[in-house]
Amino acid sequence: MVLVSTKNILRKAQKGRYAVAHFNTNNLEFTEAIVTAADKLKAPVIIATSAGAIKYAGIQQIASMIKIGAAKAKVPVALHLDHSPGLGLIKNCVKEGWTSVMIDASHNSFNTNVRRTRQAVQFCRRYGVPVEAELGQLGGEEGWVKGKNIFTNPVQAKAFVKKTKCDSLAVAIGTSHGAYKFKGNPKLDLQRLKEIREMISIPLVLHGASSVPKDLIRKANKLGARIKGAAGVPDTQIKKAIKLGICKVNTDTDLRLAFNYGVRKFLKKNPSVIDPRKALNSGKIEIQKIVEKKIRLLGSAGKA
């Protein structure tokens, strides 16, 4: 199947009260695991690339890899640019065939965020590419994105969407990037999310939504990893957020943890094997398990 836009699959998810899974990819193994899992569960899926992933793999190389994977799939696959720092990268990605982009000017003032988002929307409209924007900030770190938790103001959200005409909005309600999302009990501001949903009608996006499975960390640590104090978003909180209007959920950290564990497990069991493909394939298998679990959690299985 050819790549699709996120616009229709998110609108469908919003109407059906489920969420489409967004997974970040870095290489062939991540991409194949994501597509295979989505195909198996008959779920639409969004494969996302960060600025860092594009720099690592090369813009044409990573685009070609995902397009080939999507062509083999029987489900809708969108190619999304995650957290673009500016219009330059957006233009390059649209030229290379990305079907969805995110402009992240959330670290700027409200007015500057509006202006930069509107510029991205005006450019992308000419190519039929939907634009995701962000209002408020998530804590933690993801590539160039570094911030502290600044929750989205519902009244500002209404004004922001009206001024920018963005197609979807990433909201800050307590999640964070990376593996260390919470100190103490994890809790999302679901009342705030409810108020935002009442204010605006476009699809809402939840970033920093990895679960950071404790069993995965425990198994990786047994094999030599040193991951301590990591905490993710509980599945129960994700389900509540979807009921309140989230229809796109971003996951990156969980896939990295799964890959780390899979490679470590293979090397531990096969210390004399030097074929990198076998170790990488073990990582891919673990990623697929996580992707399938997340798709089922979001309710998008069987929605393709």
Side-chain angles (χ1 to χ4, degrees):
M1 184 177 288
V2 297
L3 289 170
V4 303
S5 162
T6 54
K7 191 165 188 176
N8 290 335
I9 60 176
L10 290 185
R11 285 293 187 183
K12 185 178 177 182
Q14 187 175 15
K15 186 176 181 180
R17 299 180 70 81
Y18 62 89
V20 178
H22 153 136
F23 299 106
N24 284 73
T25 189
N26 298 281
N27 58 21
L28 177 64
E29 286 73 28
F30 278 65
T31 303
E32 287 188 341
I34 295 165
V35 173
T36 301
D39 240 2
K40 177 181 175 181
L41 298 182
K42 297 180 174 58
V45 70
I46 299 168
I47 301 181
T49 58
S50 64
I54 291 171
K55 182 179 180 181
Y56 169 76
I59 189 168
Q60 293 179 333
Q61 292 92 324
I62 201 167
S64 297
M65 177 182 66
I66 297 170
K67 288 175 185 177
I68 291 170
K72 295 178 181 178
K74 297 178 182 178
V75 297
V77 179
L79 172 52
H80 180 71
L81 172 61
D82 196 22
H83 289 288
S84 178
L87 190 56
L89 181 58
I90 288 175
K91 289 181 176 180
N92 290 337
C93 285
V94 170
K95 178 182 176 182
E96 295 296 336
W98 266 250
T99 57
S100 176
V101 302
M102 177 195 182
I103 176 72
D104 186 357
S106 61
H107 53 290
N108 298 121
S109 68
F110 177 82
N111 289 335
T112 300
N113 192 354
V114 167
R115 176 176 56 80
R116 294 185 63 200
T117 300
R118 190 161 51 202
Q119 288 173 343
V121 171
Q122 289 171 348
F123 171 79
C124 289
R125 283 287 186 274
R126 303 203 296 264
Y127 300 91
V129 175
V131 175
E132 175 186 326
E134 182 170 333
L135 185 65
Q137 285 186 39
L138 271 65
E141 181 176 343
E142 182 179 357
W144 71 272
V145 182
K146 299 177 183 179
K148 57 182 180 179
N149 278 314
I150 302 176
F151 286 22
T152 303
N153 181 300
V155 176
Q156 280 192 336
K158 181 178 180 179
F160 183 86
V161 171
K162 183 178 180 179
K163 290 175 181 289
T164 64
K165 295 181 171 58
C166 60
D167 298 283
S168 59
L169 183 67
V171 295
I173 58 171
T175 58
S176 297
H177 292 298
Y180 304 90
K181 301 182 185 301
F182 299 99
K183 293 181 179 179
N185 295 326
K187 185 178 180 181
L188 303 186
D189 191 341
L190 297 174
Q191 178 59 36
R192 182 180 299 270
L193 174 59
K194 182 180 178 182
E195 292 173 8
I196 295 170
R197 176 75 287 165
E198 291 170 351
M199 289 283 188
I200 62 178
S201 61
I202 63 172
L204 299 179
V205 180
L206 189 65
H207 283 241
S210 283
S211 301
V212 191
K214 293 187 182 300
D215 63 325
L216 196 57
I217 292 176
R218 176 180 53 79
K219 290 187 292 187
N221 283 343
K222 279 188 175 182
L223 295 172
R226 295 182 179 179
I227 305 168
K228 297 181 179 180
V233 184
D235 290 352
T236 54
Q237 296 277 300
I238 296 292
K239 287 182 177 180
K240 289 178 181 179
I242 293 171
K243 286 183 179 180
L244 291 173
I246 292 294
C247 53
K248 174 174 176 277
V249 175
N250 291 22
T251 303
D252 185 7
T253 298
D254 286 354
L255 273 59
R256 297 183 182 194
L257 291 170
F259 186 73
N260 183 293
Y261 166 64
V263 171
R264 287 179 183 276
K265 180 174 67 170
F266 178 85
L267 294 175
K268 179 68 174 180
K269 291 181 178 180
N270 304 276
S272 63
V273 176
I274 63 171
D275 186 342
R277 294 168 296 186
K278 294 181 179 180
L280 294 174
N281 188 63
S282 180
K284 181 174 71 173
I285 290 170
E286 296 301 325
I287 292 173
Q288 184 178 335
K289 292 177 184 177
I290 290 293
V291 173
E292 290 180 17
K293 182 179 179 182
K294 183 68 72 170
I295 287 173
R296 290 190 178 98
L297 173 67
L298 304 190
S300 58
K303 303 299 186 182

